[in-house]
Amino acid sequence: MRALYNLLQEQAEHLQQMSDQLEETRSALTERKLIERAKGVLMQYQGLTEEQACRRLRE
């Protein structure tokens, strides 16, 4: 019985770690999409190249 409890506890911890990693990945993807959108706006409205837009965002 104790072994089953330990196994379930380990699985729960593993699932929590996976959930945390998934949330981090989602957050990074959302941030990346926002950056790409901002670059596009700079490129379109200010006539910048992608490299110039990246540089401007970093500044």
Side-chain angles (χ1 to χ4, degrees):
M1 194 62 156
R2 184 81 171 157
L4 180 60
Y5 174 78
N6 289 340
L7 178 62
L8 289 173
Q9 189 173 16
E10 287 175 19
Q11 288 297 317
E13 289 172 6
H14 182 69
L15 287 172
Q16 183 60 52
Q17 289 173 352
M18 289 177 63
S19 178
D20 293 345
Q21 288 176 346
L22 179 59
E23 183 56 36
E24 288 175 22
T25 302
R26 283 182 178 152
S27 179
L29 181 58
T30 299
E31 183 177 323
R32 181 71 183 172
K33 286 179 181 179
L34 181 62
I35 290 168
E36 290 299 319
R37 215 174 299 138
K39 276 194 328 190
V41 168
L42 287 173
M43 291 167 63
Q44 182 177 4
Y45 292 104
Q46 294 189 2
L48 301 177
T49 65
E50 185 174 0
E51 186 178 320
Q52 290 169 327
C54 284
R55 193 175 310 121
R56 179 81 48 94
L57 287 172
R58 276 185 250 134
E59 291 171 354

